[in-house]
Amino acid sequence: MDEHSAQEQLLLVLPSVNLEKKCFFLSSLKWILTIVTWLIFITWVVLAFLFPLNLTYEFILSATSFSSGTFLGLEGPVFLLFSGPILLIAFFSIPYLIISGKDQKVQEKKAPSYRLCTFPLLVDGPLGVVSAAEFIGILLFAVYLVWCIYIYAIQNLSSVKDESPFTTTTQKICYILDIWGFSLAQIGIILLAFLFIPIARGSILLRLIDIPFGHAARYHVWLGHLTMLFFTLHGLCYVIEWSLQGDLLKKMLEWQESDTANLAGVIGLTAGLLMWITSLPFVRTKYFEVFFYTHQLYIIFVIFLALHVGVIFFSIVAGTIFLYMLDRFLRFCQSRKTVDIVSATCFPGGIVELVLSKPQSLHCDALSFIFLQVREASLLQWHPFSVSSVSGTGEHQFSILIKTFGEWTQNIEENISNVSAVIELYQDGINLQSPFRMITASVEGPYGHELPHHLMYEKLVLVAGGIGISPFLAVLSDIFHRKRQGKPCLVKNILIVWAVKTSNHLSLLSLINRNFSNIEVNLDILIYVTQQSQPPLDEEEGRLVEFKATNSFVSPVYKGKTMSVLVGTGNNNIWFGIYLISTTLGFIAVVYLLNVFYINPKDLSLGWYHGLLFVICMVVSVLIFGGLVVGIWHLSERKMNGEDHHIIEHNEIEHPTADKDCLSQDLYTSTTIRYGSRPDLQEIFESISERWGHVDVGVIVCGPPALESSVAKECRSLNLMRTKHYRPIFHFHSHSFSL
């Protein structure tokens, strides 16, 4: 059951009144959910601001001492105060997303207007392009950090005065380091509660506010730097203190039963520092595998954090960590399934197109991306790729484009060449001495926007650099398909600005050629070949010389192995809601049983062991309760796919060996190719501003950071200098991201 059918059922179960009243009921329910969610979020933020106060700390101590020995346990009050709100928001997100419905969101605006989330405010700073909404978020975080440091400074100064007189200066310095080390750790704990929200790829919270994982990843990077900075300063304070006291090694190796386990903190901080260092840009870009594998130390970091701080402080971050665990478990289950590669094509310029099988019930929208594992290339590596085709023939398939760069992608291209040669022999009737084996893949995703923002503008500008054209092929495919089907789509004019190094990349125009016919959309394509001064083009025939694929195959053996629908933006909201709620309630039940039948009777002291038991409860609840729901979900998926089982026939697949080197006349006349030059973005955008009038213009960029910054600068400049009301408003969207 998908989101749209769920919405239809909601309409059917209402009293038999007219449709207008039913829609009003759903709209009112949506507003109620929005208001309640905002109230819960504001409460959570207020609690975070109150957290540094001594009054809050004393309240937590009183509440935990009161709940000790009860079914709530020591962790109960803190978990309810700090983790409870974020879990409640996740719960309310489920009905909100079910009610919303995607197609109803594509509505024409009355008048063009500015939006905080699409207005590029900062474009040249170290953070890259920052929208006005993001800038406000950064300011709020800055205010929060200043507030925390200010409050702790006042409280610590007062504490030092109360402890005076000190017998020696060293004793005073050690005391100051001790209280500041504790204060910095508390700030780090709050930041850690935010850190796990953006890194959950299929997070229901990200879908609620329509932030795709590609954008959220950089929020995780920013928060990661801040979190590790405060944790490092926390550790440094104690290292200096213990060094001044002359017992550094002894203190670092201490593992107290009922107090903070120092050695656990040292192990956790070491794991965190390794992740932090290897995530720095100069390491991550050159040694991505080192970064990727080192980042798996987050498991060590979380476990030893719980052992170090104990159950009370760990309960502050338990909610967001628990949501991440739920997401990670789903992704693990989805990625175990192999997927048929329906066809593959090697284009000139080192570009590979893979067509993958998917069930019809899985929604794979334009501007989505997936994580792909090709087992013949590597058993461990997963890489993100934008979807390049989602509609047309793609009810049961979608495609991605891969640029060969590095050993992993080169292995894929070599495997395609080998399989292509074997299939030719197979089709010629030649007996093969070795068993025939196709390329196998696993897919995670798709991830993307909850709102189809490429459909919300009458005018679209798509700016791409190199292989960055890939998601825009999906955008065109989606728009063309919607126009043919009569589905909601406002787009009337599309301008594509594409910069490539050589003309080899122009072979990808053939992918547009598949769908470009009898469409009421004005499409203009400006292509800039920057490192080539002469066109390999026969002007009279309109034929690009290097259009033909070098190697390709269509799978002769289709086993019906499709993607799992366990993870993906806009998919299975009802099942995901059951999974989330049942696992959370199961976790609460396990903690209750642990407190009533083990911790309270044995009167276990507060310490590392209690923290370890709490983490075990989280893991057990995900595996047992979550695993049970996932198992039933998987059986339901198999039954649905079995009833709608579709074997892709060869005549349904666009054969990559077909003659695609000649553009259709419409596409050929819409395309302008300029050699030996780069796009003059100022001239292009000023021309658009003159021609398109008073309208919202969606600008989507996919390419290197320099291109993204240049486009954002033009959008900002024209919006700020917009003195005439008949000029358009440019809305900037980035589809570029890096892990």
Side-chain angles (χ1 to χ4, degrees), residues 467-485:
I467 195 62
I469 194 66
S470 177
F472 300 149
L473 298 176
V475 168
L476 293 178
S477 173
D478 188 37
I479 291 172
F480 295 162
H481 180 67
R482 283 176 173 270
K483 289 288 185 180
R484 289 195 186 97
Q485 298 294 322

Side-chain angles (χ1 to χ4, degrees), residues 30-284:
K30 183 178 174 181
W31 272 105
I32 292 171
L33 289 171
T34 302
I35 293 170
V36 171
T37 302
W38 269 107
L39 289 175
I40 296 172
F41 176 73
I42 291 170
T43 302
W44 191 51
V45 172
V46 169
L47 287 172
F49 270 89
L50 293 176
F51 182 70
L53 299 174
N54 277 332
L55 183 65
T56 306
Y57 185 67
E58 291 170 1
F59 173 78
I60 290 174
L61 291 179
S62 300
T64 53
S65 62
F66 175 78
S67 63
S68 178
T70 69
F71 68 93
L72 290 173
L74 288 164
E75 69 280 2
V78 180
F79 184 84
L80 290 174
L81 281 175
F82 292 95
S83 292
I86 204 69
L87 291 174
L88 282 176
I89 292 173
F91 290 169
F92 285 118
S93 300
I94 300 297
Y96 180 88
L97 291 173
I98 292 173
I99 292 171
S100 295
K102 286 189 176 180
D103 286 344
Q104 293 185 1
K105 296 174 184 175
V106 185
Q107 297 174 354
E108 190 169 358
K109 291 178 64 65
K110 293 182 179 180
S113 60
Y114 294 103
R115 302 172 202 160
L116 292 176
C117 59
T118 60
F119 188 95
L121 194 61
L122 305 178
V123 296
D124 292 322
L127 300 179
V129 179
V130 177
S131 69
E134 290 172 332
F135 183 72
I136 292 172
I138 292 170
L139 281 181
L140 289 176
F141 255 100
V143 168
Y144 177 71
L145 293 178
V146 171
W147 160 260
C148 288
I149 294 171
Y150 171 74
I151 293 298
Y152 283 130
I154 292 177
Q155 294 176 167
N156 292 344
L157 181 62
S158 175
S159 179
V160 171
K161 289 181 180 179
D162 293 340
E163 288 290 326
S164 297
F166 294 96
T167 55
T168 63
T169 304
T170 301
Q171 186 181 6
K172 182 177 181 179
I173 293 173
C174 288
Y175 182 79
I176 293 173
L177 288 169
D178 188 84
I179 58 177
W180 267 110
F182 183 69
S183 300
L184 292 168
Q186 288 180 298
I187 299 175
I189 285 289
I190 292 295
L191 291 174
L192 189 64
F194 286 92
L195 181 64
F196 279 89
I197 295 175
I199 201 59
R201 296 174 189 170
S203 170
I204 194 70
L205 300 177
L206 295 181
R207 291 174 56 194
L208 176 67
I209 54 180
D210 192 32
I211 298 179
F213 172 71
H215 291 186
R218 68 174 187 162
Y219 306 153
H220 173 76
V221 172
W222 299 347
L223 288 166
H225 289 317
L226 275 177
T227 304
M228 285 311 304
L229 174 63
F230 280 94
F231 278 148
T232 302
L233 292 174
H234 155 74
L236 193 59
C237 284
Y238 285 106
V239 167
I240 296 173
E241 177 192 353
W242 297 336
S243 298
L244 291 174
Q245 293 173 346
D247 55 357
L248 174 62
L249 186 60
K250 177 185 175 182
K251 287 287 187 180
M252 290 179 65
L253 296 178
E254 277 186 356
W255 193 293
Q256 301 92 327
E257 287 293 330
S258 59
D259 200 357
T260 303
N262 293 344
L263 181 57
V266 171
I267 296 172
L269 183 58
T270 302
L273 287 172
L274 287 173
M275 289 190 290
W276 191 22
I277 293 170
T278 56
S279 68
L280 296 175
F282 64 89
V283 179
R284 188 178 71 248

